[in-house]
Amino acid sequence: MNKVTVAVIGAGRIGQLHIGNILKSSLYHLKAVADVYIDHLKGSQLEEDGVLITADTADIFQDPEIDAVFICSSTDTHAGYIIEAAQVKKHIFCEKPVSFNVEETRSALKEVKKNNVNLQIGFNRRFDKHFSKVQDAMMEGNIGTPQIIKITSRDPQAPVIEYVKRSGGMFMDMTIHDFDMARYLSNSEVIDVTVKADNLIDPEIGKCEDTDTAVILLTFENGAIGVIDNSRQAVYGYDQRIEVFGNKGLVSADNEEITNVRVANEAGTSIDPLKNFFLDRYHEAYEQEIECFAESILQNKPLVCSGEDGQKAELLAKAAKMSHLEQRTVKLTELEEQTTI
Amino acid sequence: MNKVTVAVIGAGRIGQLHIGNILKSSLYHLKAVADVYIDHLKGSQLEEDGVLITADTADIFQDPEIDAVFICSSTDTHAGYIIEAAQVKKHIFCEKPVSFNVEETRSALKEVKKNNVNLQIGFNRRFDKHFSKVQDAMMEGNIGTPQIIKITSRDPQAPVIEYVKRSGGMFMDMTIHDFDMARYLSNSEVIDVTVKADNLIDPEIGKCEDTDTAVILLTFENGAIGVIDNSRQAVYGYDQRIEVFGNKGLVSADNEEITNVRVANEAGTSIDPLKNFFLDRYHEAYEQEIECFAESILQNKPLVCSGEDGQKAELLAKAAKMSHLEQRTVKLTELEEQTTI
Amino acid sequence: MNKVTVAVIGAGRIGQLHIGNILKSSLYHLKAVADVYIDHLKGSQLEEDGVLITADTADIFQDPEIDAVFICSSTDTHAGYIIEAAQVKKHIFCEKPVSFNVEETRSALKEVKKNNVNLQIGFNRRFDKHFSKVQDAMMEGNIGTPQIIKITSRDPQAPVIEYVKRSGGMFMDMTIHDFDMARYLSNSEVIDVTVKADNLIDPEIGKCEDTDTAVILLTFENGAIGVIDNSRQAVYGYDQRIEVFGNKGLVSADNEEITNVRVANEAGTSIDPLKNFFLDRYHEAYEQEIECFAESILQNKPLVCSGEDGQKAELLAKAAKMSHLEQRTVKLTELEEQTTI
Amino acid sequence: MNKVTVAVIGAGRIGQLHIGNILKSSLYHLKAVADVYIDHLKGSQLEEDGVLITADTADIFQDPEIDAVFICSSTDTHAGYIIEAAQVKKHIFCEKPVSFNVEETRSALKEVKKNNVNLQIGFNRRFDKHFSKVQDAMMEGNIGTPQIIKITSRDPQAPVIEYVKRSGGMFMDMTIHDFDMARYLSNSEVIDVTVKADNLIDPEIGKCEDTDTAVILLTFENGAIGVIDNSRQAVYGYDQRIEVFGNKGLVSADNEEITNVRVANEAGTSIDPLKNFFLDRYHEAYEQEIECFAESILQNKPLVCSGEDGQKAELLAKAAKMSHLEQRTVKLTELEEQTTI
């Protein structure tokens, strides 16, 4: 096998992003796309080029030529599709989160393990060249033992309320990326989570019992302290910065401006705005993550972001929500015990 | 009066810094310096230039020509000298903190108020050109209402253990500056304090029941969330950064490198190290703060940093210590009630 | 026509780059590739995918389905292929320079004009997002009238001597990009050229009667003064910066580092190296330039970089060489007169 | 002698700057100030503090207690005062240029040599922490042999016409600093000068037969090529940058902004303006240069900027003017021969 034959389930925004990247990659052959709504895809260039467009996922799961599926449908369907795919021995790339329910995620992962297929979770930021270089520097010992890990993660604008309602809440929808990044950068597990959060941007978000502004403290097993700050609305743009402070130094990644151009005049000096949002900022990371997934299948390379990584980020999101609601530090063991019952 | 006639009590490191700046300023006349040890000052250039060198502070307090005193002696003497100076109607510049004891600070401030003298606390960072510009931008509404306030404050190396023992602990000695900065930048009062702290750098510090690494969450009355991160040892230098994120934008102040020089060669591109420590980094701020103190006396300008500001920072330091020891969020009202009994 | 059917002549480094970008673009259909050596292409993925691999350019020029050709062969063949392509009414994308000979270039352009086909010259830097934004800012009047235009253009390492020998000399091979950029940024024509150049890097380059280090002054019709500095070897990487200074301000584009990561430790603070060389630095610009070429054909958009632009840059390279050899300022009219005889 | 007793001749803007720095320095005792106009100084704080205010320089030259003089009067008086001071064995700090006339400068230097006194020229930029660090890096071999030296030097606004008229022209008044910097950074002598200059800013300057915009090429003995670009009016502020490119790397010094503060909002990201003009930008350099002068007297340290350095910069200014007027490269030997007649 020198190409992975794939199908994509879910042709919304993120599904279309992956379809585009799959088509550009030399490691993939796209055989089918499934969605509940397929009218807009009928007669498209995709179909012309011989890709099967179907509303029935059975066309995918029962096709023995398909090696792997990309699950890009709505979150409530993820776990079910993972289980179905695993049972027919297809490798799985699944968008985050696996589910909103810890039990469901556990069941899905169990099936993946049993069937010995690869499951990669779409934590694309691990593949960002800036962030992965920070992690490299940390792992190579350039800054010694991590002591303070800081993640700034602010969206340019709050999502529409319809999205908020089915998002699982800010922690599960947005901070989950930062939880994953915190684990990735610290190379350690989180012991407890403490949240100060508020609804400062859009009162409608508050009405959904969700928050839009938060600072989150994490304690790690290796002694490091983590701090994440989130906002659903940074009017100056998509603010994505990280730093890892260790006993031997500091490594940090700053934002990316659109260009390096400066204009200086009587009014002052201005630099370019930040790349607009995740599709721009993580453009290359999205390309990179699917290359790695293909290599895990074709060359047996280890997964950079496994199902277990997905599960742990979900637990952290859950702990954060609990900390916010109960206004106290929540230990991860509380959740782990709770969920093994 | 076109010059303020002053005396300095305490001629240690910080006292000598103020003496140097007083001599360079056109707003001051230095008349006397008192210290418990004066041998090193006898026969010095200061004495030659006609400054009284004395071991007896009565020489200062009883001299009607002296308008103001700079209290730069050890912390345990601050409150007593403040009271003594206030009673003889001298204006007071006092190094932080006023005391390690909330009651003592309250008594000193009461006496200051009763005698209607000016008391400025040495929170020099309010006078740093970078930080005061951040506050200006915030006050001018450039970033709207503050929502997240971040302060990074890391010393280049841990103090010697002798210093640690009499420092009052990291929160009272070091973080107190950041607590003051947080109040200054938010233009709001803190409601509660949550601390995650550890002893990661020097085990000797732990033996003194002190910490050397901390991340501190603050909730403000105006809804903003604050986060301070501290380390007693940043091997790359004195790391002093702030940012205020508001609903209309972000204002931030980055570190100052010694020069703007870059060297790029086959080994990579390197920039200059940070200014070494507070004497370098806040060199101009130290000059500026005493100019403002003089102007408060000569021109009746309002104090930028009053005794009340000092008191509030001390309360925050105390709350931080309590939060750390009791592993919980501490409300400021707990302390205020406690201390009014 | 919603795709441009193209053939590529010359499958060396730059030809392969264009082939890759053509395949990724949705605006092209690649029908054929010609090269004098085709052994390495036989049986390749290209051929498998149905692209004709041929050693005979007649297969291209005589194919009525082919709308446009990319000329990526050696410089001595450019003018001939342009003429041949124009005569069979194919649009032309040609790598720079058109030729080393002013007369030859003129003949090729005349044929292009006569046959009314599009000719785009491969001055890819016009499509660099940083540089094109500088030009936008200038054209929008953000900096007023240009007065001083500065271009720094230094290669990371000197080419091999075999390359130097057939390069046409540094001015024709390397500076030609900067001459084009100077015209692009000034929006004006050059009146005269003054060169100080030397052979400071590799004595072998000197033996080829070529230079490796130069500073070039340009006088523009609109009064602006230009200055280009070149080196064949910047050990710290590919240094590509521009600035335009006008009566109302300055606009500048700085280098691009590989990532935004900084590592600060006791040894100092280091930032990432520059993007390695033109294939990295202008990666996106190469993609962009062929999109524009396709749009000039499909949508009749104006060419960003025409044959005349190529001709003018060649004249400037020739003037620079003359200035260097004769150690004097050379007026462009000298060359224009000379070449119209 | 542990302090240098000095007098200042000329109490205009630059004289007053030096007076202020002399008073703040611990290495000087200011005994007298002479000026043709002294009314504004009578009754001033200076006089109150015991400094002699005089209109008669004889009071200075005949006072045996005065070790050194600062010559800050108008340029036409410099050479005469240097000669007078040297003859009475006083060390001399003289503002640039020594004179507008090569012969006059030579005579003054001859007298200085004969009387074996120290003469320092006020090329303050050698003492700028950024620029001196660039020179250090170069001298320490961090970038190997210099090959291209670039100096950007642009004033924030053009001087008033009255000033232009008696300035000696832009090259002698403004570029002279850059000529000195070029020699300092290259550690080599200039062989020839080529100028492209124009009158683009203020037509009144052109009426004075002066220029306001120039790019200047220098060839150095060690093979390096230098390029200076000047403008009398950079609307965004005082633009002072240098870079030295060598066979082993690049060292550069960028501008200094007033603060490190950034404001990012919907309108974009803006950084602070540059330090306003030379009094701000070179504030510390002015302090530093007189410390060095004192040390050359008190501790016999070598001068950082000698009379010969002044003379060479004047020759370069003269060569630049000639190059501009005659539109050709001017060799320094032309001037040296000419002036030895």
Side-chain angles (χ1 to χ4, degrees), chain C residues 32 71 122 148 168 172 199 233 236 239 260-261:
Chain C
I71 302 175
I148 301 174
M172 187 60 86
N199 170 224
Q233 180 190 283
Y236 55 89
D239 192 351
N260 292 329
V261 173

Side-chain angles (χ1 to χ4, degrees), chain C residues 267-335:
Chain C
T269 297
S270 64
I271 61 174
D272 244 31
L274 304 179
K275 288 193 172 178
N276 180 50
F277 206 173
F278 62 98
L279 296 181
D280 291 317
R281 173 68 172 83
Y282 294 117
H283 174 77
E284 292 174 46
Y286 280 114
E287 291 177 1
Q288 208 53 42
E289 69 173 352
I290 72 165
E291 296 300 284
C292 281
F293 178 57
E295 289 167 0
S296 79
I297 297 166
L298 298 172
Q299 302 162 29
N300 221 18
K301 287 198 182 170
L303 286 168
V304 175
C305 187
S306 69
E308 282 66 34
D309 291 319
Q311 187 181 32
K312 280 178 172 155
E314 288 169 29
L315 271 180
L316 286 165
K318 202 164 174 127
K321 190 170 183 182
M322 200 183 297
S323 171
H324 170 53
L325 293 176
E326 303 180 8
Q327 301 248 43
R328 64 175 183 93
T329 297
V330 171
K331 286 193 199 303
L332 266 288
T333 49
E334 298 179 44
L335 282 162

Side-chain angles (χ1 to χ4, degrees), chain A residues 20-316:
Chain A
N21 289 336
I22 286 166
L23 291 173
K24 278 200 280 183
S25 168
S26 62
L27 300 180
Y28 286 100
H29 166 66
L30 179 64
K31 188 160 185 207
V33 171
D35 201 305
V36 281
Y37 308 106
I38 57 170
D39 288 357
H40 64 297
L41 296 170
K42 298 308 282 183
S44 68
Q45 183 71 39
L46 265 185
E47 197 172 46
E48 268 184 46
D49 291 348
V51 176
L52 172 72
I53 306 297
T54 178
D56 185 358
T57 55
D59 293 342
I60 288 168
F61 291 124
Q62 289 165 17
D63 182 343
E65 278 187 7
I66 291 174
D67 304 309
V69 294
F70 277 66
I71 303 175
C72 307
S73 47
S74 63
T75 300
D76 58 308
T77 66
H78 288 181
Y81 286 144
I82 288 175
I83 290 168
E84 210 170 340
Q87 288 172 344
V88 293
K89 311 288 183 199
K90 300 200 186 306
H91 300 294
I92 304 150
F93 180 101
C94 182
E95 274 306 316
K96 57 91 210 170
V98 172
S99 84
F100 296 142
N101 179 300
V102 177
E103 258 329 295
E104 218 173 87
T105 302
R106 179 169 297 117
S107 306
L109 264 60
K110 200 182 286 179
E111 204 65 31
V112 166
K113 200 171 179 186
K114 198 170 99 186
N115 290 285
N116 201 24
V117 293
N118 289 355
L119 168 61
Q120 180 172 328
I121 306 301
F123 285 129
N124 55 305
R125 296 183 197 176
R126 289 191 179 216
F127 301 86
D128 176 65
K129 67 179 175 178
H130 309 288
F131 293 175
S132 65
K133 176 131 192 190
V134 167
Q135 212 253 3
D136 287 350
M138 197 278 294
M139 294 301 277
E140 286 162 12
N142 295 346
I143 58 142
T145 307
Q147 295 178 337
I148 300 174
I149 293 161
K150 292 171 72 176
I151 298 172
T152 295
S153 174
R154 301 169 186 157
D155 283 355
Q157 63 260 339
V160 293
I161 288 301
E162 278 317 297
Y163 180 90
V164 169
K165 282 178 183 164
R166 55 186 167 75
S167 70
M170 188 178 78
F171 301 122
M172 188 60 86
D173 178 56
M174 175 181 169
T175 321
I176 196 168
H177 277 292
D178 307 312
F179 288 131
D180 182 62
M181 188 52 59
R183 290 183 60 249
Y184 178 62
L185 294 175
S186 66
N187 199 30
S188 176
E189 295 301 335
V190 174
I191 295 173
D192 62 43
V193 177
T194 312
V195 171
K196 292 287 164 191
D198 211 337
N199 170 223
L200 299 176
I201 293 159
D202 182 354
E204 293 302 313
I205 292 174
K207 287 181 195 160
C208 302
E209 295 184 356
D210 201 357
T211 64
D212 48 32
T213 306
V215 182
I216 298 147
L217 282 184
L218 305 173
T219 311
F220 292 94
E221 278 177 6
N222 65 7
I225 305 170
V227 56
I228 296 165
D229 74 270
N230 286 149
S231 172
R232 278 291 199 184
Q233 181 190 284
V235 296
Y236 54 89
Y238 191 43
D239 192 351
Q240 300 278 298
R241 289 171 285 158
I242 60 174
E243 60 175 80
V244 186
F245 171 81
N247 66 326
K248 292 190 182 156
L250 175 75
V251 56
S252 58
D254 208 340
N255 281 310
E256 256 193 80
E257 282 94 27
I258 296 173
T259 75
N260 291 329
V261 172
R262 279 187 177 207
V263 176
N265 53 34
E266 280 182 299
T269 298
S270 63
I271 61 175
D272 244 31
L274 304 179
K275 288 193 172 178
N276 181 51
F277 206 174
F278 62 98
L279 296 181
D280 291 318
R281 172 68 172 84
Y282 295 117
H283 175 78
E284 292 174 48
Y286 280 113
E287 291 177 1
Q288 208 54 42
E289 69 174 352
I290 72 166
E291 295 299 285
C292 282
F293 179 56
E295 289 166 1
S296 78
I297 297 167
L298 298 172
Q299 301 161 31
N300 220 19
K301 286 198 185 171
L303 287 167
V304 175
C305 187
S306 69
E308 282 66 35
D309 291 320
Q311 186 181 31
K312 279 176 173 156
E314 287 169 29
L315 272 180
L316 286 165

Side-chain angles (χ1 to χ4, degrees), chain C residues 224-280:
Chain C
I225 305 171
V227 57
I228 296 165
D229 74 271
N230 286 149
S231 172
R232 279 291 199 183
Q233 180 190 283
V235 296
Y236 55 89
Y238 190 43
D239 192 351
Q240 300 278 298
R241 289 172 285 158
I242 60 175
E243 60 175 82
V244 186
F245 171 82
N247 66 328
K248 291 190 183 157
L250 174 74
V251 56
S252 58
D254 208 340
N255 282 309
E256 255 193 81
E257 283 93 28
I258 295 174
T259 75
N260 292 329
V261 173
R262 280 188 175 205
V263 177
N265 53 34
E266 280 183 298
T269 297
S270 64
I271 61 174
D272 244 31
L274 304 179
K275 288 193 172 178
N276 180 50
F277 206 173
F278 62 98
L279 296 181
D280 291 317

Side-chain angles (χ1 to χ4, degrees), chain D residues 81-97:
Chain D
Y81 285 143
I82 288 175
I83 290 168
E84 210 170 339
Q87 288 171 345
V88 294
K89 312 287 184 199
K90 299 200 185 305
H91 301 295
I92 303 149
F93 180 102
C94 182
E95 274 306 315
K96 57 92 210 170

Side-chain angles (χ1 to χ4, degrees), chain C residues 26-55:
Chain C
S26 63
L27 300 180
Y28 286 101
H29 167 65
L30 179 64
K31 188 160 185 205
V33 171
D35 201 306
V36 281
Y37 308 104
I38 56 168
D39 289 356
H40 65 297
L41 296 169
K42 298 307 283 184
S44 69
Q45 182 70 41
L46 266 185
E47 197 171 45
E48 267 182 47
D49 290 348
V51 176
L52 172 71
I53 306 297
T54 178

